[in-house]
Amino acid sequence: MTKLTDVARVAGVSATTVSRVINNYGSLSEKTKQKVYAAMRELNYQPNSLARSLQGKQTKLIGVIFSGVSNPFFGEMVEELENQLFSKGYRVILCNAADDKAKERDYLRMLMANQVDGIIAGAHNLGIEEYHQVGLPIISFDRYLSDNIPIVSSDNYRGGQAAGEALLAARVQHPVIITGQQQPNSPTNQRLSGYQAVLSAKDVALDQWTLAFGMSPTLKMMRIRQLLTTHQPDGIFCTDDLTALLVLQAAKQLNIAVPQALKVIGYDGTRFIQAYHPELTTIMQPITDIVTLMVELLLQRIADPDCQLETSYTLPIKVITGTSTAAIS
Amino acid sequence: MTKLTDVARVAGVSATTVSRVINNYGSLSEKTKQKVYAAMRELNYQPNSLARSLQGKQTKLIGVIFSGVSNPFFGEMVEELENQLFSKGYRVILCNAADDKAKERDYLRMLMANQVDGIIAGAHNLGIEEYHQVGLPIISFDRYLSDNIPIVSSDNYRGGQAAGEALLAARVQHPVIITGQQQPNSPTNQRLSGYQAVLSAKDVALDQWTLAFGMSPTLKMMRIRQLLTTHQPDGIFCTDDLTALLVLQAAKQLNIAVPQALKVIGYDGTRFIQAYHPELTTIMQPITDIVTLMVELLLQRIADPDCQLETSYTLPIKVITGTSTAAIS
DNA sequence: AATAAATTGTCAAACGTTTGACAATTTCAA
DNA sequence: TTGAAATTGTCAAACGTTTGACAATTTATT
């Protein structure tokens, strides 16, 4: 591995000068700068980032903790995070917490040992305590972790309202909401609240089913079929799009016509769903904006660890209307 | 940040002894080991991995280069990679090459600067030359990079054959194959070859359409509608599942019944497709096995950089039969 | 109690870089 | 031509760890 002193030798200058060029420190003539750059190119030199970081420079590494990247919503989010962080000169250590407390804790330790500059936390197994004492800039997605850790989320309450309104506007009489398990301190609980508020304003009864987030699709499918046959709802709001896809599939299998006999509305509105399931009405979370904001906040915290940030940032959602809630002519 | 000397002080031993405990080096009594462990726990000590690596230890970081993680196939692959690497004590630096030569090159430089222990290369913008001189253990997915870099892929030729056979078995007369752009040195080209071989054995004409991998779904959709209306094929083999989904969608819009008027077969067979689109017949790549093999090979190379490995490893595919190619009764 | 073996300590160099203090040299303008 | 300013060099400490050589101490064995 070529090192700084090699560059110095080739450029015919001292090691200190090379370091000065790299870090743009002290006064330097254009001529020597060019000599050094030339030597760096010639030797294909890359400063050893371990040594730099050890010496006190930033590592330019960000830990990104999510519960898996195979879910399109998280996949798109992580992809966008990687993109934006890369363009700011940071790299991503991908941490899949996989609904596993121990793994998430391990990752937190590793990220500290690896001296990452900051963390984006999008998995939510761990309690507040463990995150509290990390002592690193953290931005959280969709979950309260500590007073000092900003939460970024989209407007879950409004999203729930919008979904309820859409169903009611489609003249639904017996709507059901399928949620994941309610997590403590999670703003996503607001989806239920918003939905509930809209229903009770119109005196429509709340009918709620819970399917744990980690449940296998096959199992979910069984439950949904059961729900459809026994409860015979004429409208379903799923708090994530994938579950909504299962509902559509189940309805098809059971010969329940959508939207004639059943209106379906999902949640998330990823690019994937928009492209491959345009028929599904859904509530879109603005992934790009969410990521932009999270990155911006994180970089602020990195630049100034004591900077004051809001506890919570809420971004607007958007309703994407497909045929799955279309009125019957 | 607590450091080694702090642990030494608390444990009442020398710094050298602490280091010996951590690295299990030299001779140590059980008693002092326990004292040191206790102190480490008490202080919540994590060795600074920058310092360790600088000193010569492994970084335990692996660069994983793919072209985006929002595609479910790559998403599932990266998720599995992260899982398996984590369980072996490695962490993943996620590199999204995004069909961008410059970005991929940048990443390669960064990975070298970051002293990663190895690389899994699954993006294929760059030529052989740039990978040739990286001088790090590399395993490639689905692309020839250099004689010394093993390729792992699934049996693309057999997959192409199987797809062709499935279409012919369903009594298709005018099948079309939709491929991505053929990449030089990519084993995925074999899908076409295998398909072609089966067709020509039965004297069925080859009709091939190309839709670039990076093209937006909307645009692809347009082309597919055009294809369906002008060419009126009665069978389509898409070399990836997402394109197949677009075909199904387009067929629905155009009132072309699947499988009655049109048989559709895809490629990849992710868990996602199996769960959410069981109707689609597809060729499944064994993602878990592919990842297991890649990780195994990479770790071998890391342990012994000179170890001899095969140039190419091919894993069997599996046909997943849905209703999209069902025979008409 | 004597000896060997096992354990622990001390010390220092090394990994590759940054950065400060200071001195030496070059450049430039008046 | 002198003096100030700009440039470069030398030297060394620091970041936190590992590891080797060696000495000092403790423990186990007979």
Side-chain angles (χ1 to χ4, degrees):
Chain A
M1 199 71 302
T2 72
K3 47 181 148 175
L4 189 132
T5 52
D6 299 326
V7 176
R9 193 168 23 73
V10 170
V13 298
S14 73
T16 302
T17 300
V18 175
S19 178
R20 279 174 182 151
V21 170
I22 292 170
N23 297 285
N24 199 28
Y25 167 81
S27 78
L28 296 161
S29 72
E30 197 53 36
K31 214 175 66 188
T32 43
K33 273 194 202 171
Q34 292 311 323
K35 270 196 302 188
V36 171
Y37 285 139
M40 297 206 305
R41 260 194 308 277
E42 183 186 332
L43 299 175
N44 193 25
Y45 170 74
Q46 278 292 109
N48 181 322
S49 63
L50 297 173
R52 305 190 78 192
S53 306
L54 184 56
Q55 213 287 327
K57 294 265 173 198
Q58 290 187 12
T59 57
K60 294 289 177 180
L61 288 172
I62 303 289
V64 166
I65 309 184
F66 276 89
S67 60
V69 90
S70 64
N71 180 311
F73 180 69
F74 294 128
E76 294 187 11
M77 193 130 184
V78 169
E79 184 165 316
E80 186 65 26
L81 273 166
E82 189 278 342
N83 267 314
Q84 294 201 22
L85 285 170
F86 180 86
S87 75
K88 307 268 188 192
Y90 289 85
R91 271 134 291 150
V92 163
I93 295 191
L94 178 66
C95 310
N96 178 356
D99 307 320
D100 178 343
K101 252 190 193 329
K103 196 174 175 194
E104 189 170 349
R105 205 185 321 256
D106 271 7
Y107 257 128
L108 237 32
R109 295 172 54 109
M110 281 183 173
L111 292 177
M112 292 169 70
N114 265 93
Q115 316 284 128
V116 298
D117 293 336
I119 294 177
I120 302 269
H124 304 309
N125 310 305
L126 255 41
I128 290 91
E129 327 76 48
E130 8 259 313
Y131 273 96
H132 205 81
Q133 50 183 293
V134 172
L136 251 96
I138 305 181
I139 306 294
S140 163
F141 173 65
D142 249 0
R143 178 125 193 252
Y144 174 85
L145 291 177
S146 143
D147 278 341
N148 200 31
I149 299 180
I151 317 171
V152 174
S153 47
S154 56
D155 195 336
N156 289 289
Y157 188 84
R158 182 71 204 105
Q161 278 186 316
E165 288 162 3
L167 286 182
L168 292 184
R171 311 227 164 280
V172 157
Q173 315 261 344
H174 305 297
V176 167
I177 179 172
I178 303 181
T179 67
Q181 225 128 27
Q182 301 296 98
Q183 297 265 8
N185 299 314
S186 171
T188 56
N189 298 341
Q190 294 298 311
R191 293 180 198 170
L192 175 57
S193 311
Y195 171 79
Q196 201 166 2
V198 168
L199 258 61
S200 67
K202 298 277 183 182
D203 283 321
V204 176
L206 179 74
D207 195 353
Q208 181 192 356
W209 276 51
T210 302
L211 296 179
F213 182 74
M215 187 185 280
S216 86
T218 322
L219 219 57
K220 273 191 187 170
M221 191 62 172
M222 274 186 41
R223 294 285 182 78
I224 289 169
R225 282 224 291 265
Q226 202 181 346
L227 165 63
L228 288 179
T229 47
T230 62
H231 273 233
Q232 304 197 314
D234 58 354
I236 299 192
F237 168 32
C238 301
T239 55
D240 74 280
D241 284 333
L242 294 187
T243 305
L245 291 188
L246 291 179
V247 169
L248 292 179
Q249 198 181 307
K252 203 170 180 182
Q253 288 172 7
L254 298 169
N255 281 316
I256 300 172
V258 175
Q260 290 78 6
L262 178 68
K263 318 281 180 197
V264 180
I265 184 164
Y267 207 103
D268 285 344
T270 52
R271 275 184 292 121
F272 178 86
I273 286 291
Q274 291 183 49
Y276 296 97
H277 291 279
E279 76 277 14
L280 180 65
T281 298
T282 183
I283 311 297
M284 184 188 94
Q285 301 199 59
I287 294 187
T288 307
D289 296 341
I290 291 172
V291 168
T292 304
L293 181 57
M294 289 201 295
V295 168
E296 190 182 309
L297 294 173
L298 187 62
L299 298 195
Q300 276 182 36
R301 263 285 158 82
I302 290 173
D304 170 19
D306 301 319
C307 76
Q308 278 308 309
L309 299 174
E310 307 288 323
T311 316
S312 171
Y313 295 80
T314 306
L315 277 67
I317 50 86
K318 220 163 105 182
V319 178
I320 296 185
T321 307
T323 54
S324 70
T325 53
I328 306 142
S329 58
Chain B
M1 202 68 307
T2 74
K3 48 181 148 180
L4 189 134
T5 52
D6 299 326
V7 177
R9 192 168 22 75
V10 171
V13 298
S14 75
T16 302
T17 300
V18 175
S19 178
R20 279 174 181 150
V21 171
I22 293 170
N23 297 285
N24 200 30
Y25 167 83
S27 78
L28 295 160
S29 73
E30 198 53 37
K31 213 175 67 187
T32 43
K33 274 192 203 174
Q34 292 312 324
K35 268 196 304 187
V36 170
Y37 285 138
M40 296 205 305
R41 260 194 308 277
E42 183 187 332
L43 298 175
N44 192 26
Y45 170 74
Q46 278 293 111
N48 181 323
S49 62
L50 297 174
R52 304 190 78 193
S53 306
L54 185 57
Q55 213 288 327
K57 295 265 175 199
Q58 288 186 13
T59 58
K60 295 289 178 181
L61 288 172
I62 302 289
V64 166
I65 310 184
F66 276 89
S67 59
V69 91
S70 63
N71 179 312
F73 180 69
F74 294 127
E76 292 186 12
M77 192 130 188
V78 168
E79 184 165 316
E80 186 65 26
L81 273 166
E82 189 279 343
N83 267 313
Q84 295 202 23
L85 285 170
F86 180 85
S87 75
K88 306 271 186 190
Y90 289 85
R91 272 134 289 150
V92 163
I93 295 191
L94 178 64
C95 309
N96 177 357
D99 307 320
D100 177 342
K101 253 189 196 316
K103 198 174 175 194
E104 191 170 350
R105 205 185 321 255
D106 271 8
Y107 257 129
L108 237 33
R109 296 172 53 107
M110 280 182 174
L111 293 177
M112 293 170 69
N114 264 93
Q115 315 285 126
V116 298
D117 293 337
I119 294 178
I120 302 268
H124 305 308
N125 311 305
L126 254 40
I128 291 92
E129 326 78 48
E130 7 260 311
Y131 272 97
H132 205 80
Q133 49 182 294
V134 171
L136 249 91
I138 305 182
I139 307 294
S140 163
F141 172 65
D142 249 1
R143 177 122 196 254
Y144 175 83
L145 290 177
S146 140
D147 278 341
N148 200 31
I149 300 179
I151 316 172
V152 174
S153 45
S154 56
D155 196 337
N156 289 290
Y157 187 85
R158 181 73 204 102
Q161 279 186 313
E165 287 161 3
L167 286 182
L168 292 184
R171 311 228 164 279
V172 158
Q173 314 263 345
H174 306 296
V176 167
I177 179 172
I178 303 181
T179 68
Q181 224 129 28
Q182 299 297 96
Q183 298 265 8
N185 299 313
S186 171
T188 56
N189 298 340
Q190 295 297 311
R191 292 179 198 171
L192 175 57
S193 311
Y195 171 77
Q196 202 167 1
V198 168
L199 258 59
S200 64
K202 298 277 183 184
D203 283 322
V204 176
L206 178 76
D207 195 353
Q208 182 193 356
W209 276 51
T210 303
L211 296 179
F213 182 75
M215 188 185 279
S216 87
T218 322
L219 218 56
K220 275 192 185 167
M221 192 60 171
M222 272 186 43
R223 295 286 181 79
I224 289 169
R225 281 224 291 267
Q226 201 181 347
L227 164 63
L228 288 179
T229 47
T230 61
H231 275 231
Q232 305 198 312
D234 59 353
I236 298 192
F237 169 30
C238 301
T239 55
D240 74 279
D241 283 335
L242 294 188
T243 305
L245 291 188
L246 291 179
V247 169
L248 291 178
Q249 199 182 305
K252 202 170 180 184
Q253 287 173 7
L254 297 169
N255 280 315
I256 301 172
V258 175
Q260 290 78 5
L262 177 69
K263 319 281 181 197
V264 179
I265 184 164
Y267 206 105
D268 285 344
T270 52
R271 275 186 289 120
F272 178 85
I273 286 290
Q274 291 184 51
Y276 296 97
H277 292 279
E279 77 277 16
L280 180 65
T281 298
T282 183
I283 311 298
M284 185 187 92
Q285 302 198 60
I287 292 185
T288 308
D289 296 341
I290 291 173
V291 167
T292 304
L293 182 56
M294 290 201 295
V295 167
E296 193 182 309
L297 294 173
L298 187 63
L299 297 194
Q300 276 182 35
R301 264 286 158 82
I302 289 173
D304 170 19
D306 301 320
C307 77
Q308 277 307 310
L309 300 173
E310 307 287 323
T311 317
S312 171
Y313 295 80
T314 305
L315 277 67
I317 51 88
K318 219 163 105 184
V319 178
I320 296 184
T321 307
T323 54
S324 69
T325 51
I328 307 141
S329 60

